[in-house]
Amino acid sequence: MQLCDELPMLVYAMMCAVLYIRRLLHRDLILPAHLVSSTVIVAILSTEQHSPMHEAWRGFMSCLFSVCVVVMAWGSTSLVNRLKDEFTDKQRHVAIAAERMHTAGYVMFVVSVMCWLADNYFCSRLWSLPFGLPYPHLHTWWHILVGAALHGLLFLFHLYDSRGRPNLRVKSFLGIFPLAVVYSG
């Protein structure tokens, strides 16, 4: 059952990673990424759970996901730095909004991973917290926070792709969470 959210996250992470590579290094790796992720998915789903082959493919999937996270961290930081370099004083607010999204996304991702790890390692203990405290549903928080962080990544793609448009404006909630890119003029 756990594979129901792990496999789509692998595909999503791979697509984000190759989209950063496409924008920053001008290399198109979408087809190889699809082939690798499809191979991993078929291999994992076609092997018996807990078999050595199944565990080997899950280990490969975890390593692949980790590489994708590193590429996404590098890519998002590079995109933000390019936006900061490209925008003039008149549109400096767009670069500031991108940097805020990047920082907020990073914090949400780190907290989401902490929730996921705590849920994995301490699940049985979390069901019986002292003083009658309720179960914290950390896996749910993992999904909420990582979804918000990934929204920020997609928004950075859109902002970067729209950077040449005149009068670019970013509308956000609380000055951090991006809602829309507006082309006024």
Side-chain angles (χ1 to χ4, degrees):
M1 191 62 158
Q2 190 173 358
L3 289 174
C4 290
D5 65 357
E6 289 178 0
L7 295 176
M9 287 298 289
L10 172 67
V11 173
Y12 190 90
M14 287 192 69
M15 289 305 106
C16 282
V18 298
L19 289 173
Y20 279 120
I21 290 169
R22 177 193 276 179
R23 282 170 176 80
L24 296 167
L25 301 178
H26 309 290
R27 293 199 177 107
D28 191 359
L29 299 176
I30 289 183
L31 181 60
H34 277 300
L35 292 173
V36 169
S37 61
S38 297
T39 301
V40 170
I41 290 169
V42 167
I44 287 174
L45 294 178
S46 64
T47 56
E48 187 176 333
Q49 190 174 11
H50 303 297
S51 70
M53 187 60 71
H54 182 83
E55 294 300 319
W57 279 106
R58 289 206 49 182
F60 179 71
M61 177 185 73
S62 297
C63 292
L64 191 57
F65 183 78
S66 298
V67 168
C68 290
V69 167
V70 169
V71 171
M72 288 188 298
W74 160 79
S76 62
T77 303
S78 297
L79 281 187
V80 168
N81 287 336
R82 282 191 183 184
L83 289 172
K84 286 167 49 177
D85 290 342
E86 289 181 18
F87 282 116
T88 62
D89 289 336
K90 184 179 177 184
Q91 288 190 313
R92 199 77 182 147
H93 65 279
V94 176
I96 291 169
E99 190 167 35
R100 285 180 183 164
M101 285 184 280
H102 182 256
T103 302
Y106 176 77
V107 170
M108 285 186 286
F109 183 75
V110 169
V111 172
S112 74
V113 169
M114 291 169 55
C115 288
W116 178 72
L117 290 171
D119 185 60
N120 279 339
Y121 289 110
F122 304 113
C123 186
S124 60
R125 291 184 191 155
L126 292 172
W127 279 105
S128 56
L129 292 173
F131 311 113
L133 291 171
Y135 180 71
H137 298 283
L138 294 177
H139 194 84
T140 302
W141 284 107
W142 146 256
H143 283 283
I144 291 168
L145 292 168
V146 84
L150 293 175
H151 169 75
L153 290 181
L154 290 177
F155 204 85
L156 280 176
F157 285 143
H158 182 63
L159 196 57
Y160 184 78
D161 292 345
S162 303
R163 71 191 184 282
R165 310 241 352 220
N167 301 319
L168 183 63
R169 299 276 182 261
V170 176
K171 300 285 184 181
S172 61
F173 178 70
L174 300 176
I176 297 173
F177 197 70
L179 299 175
V181 173
V182 178
Y183 313 107
S184 62

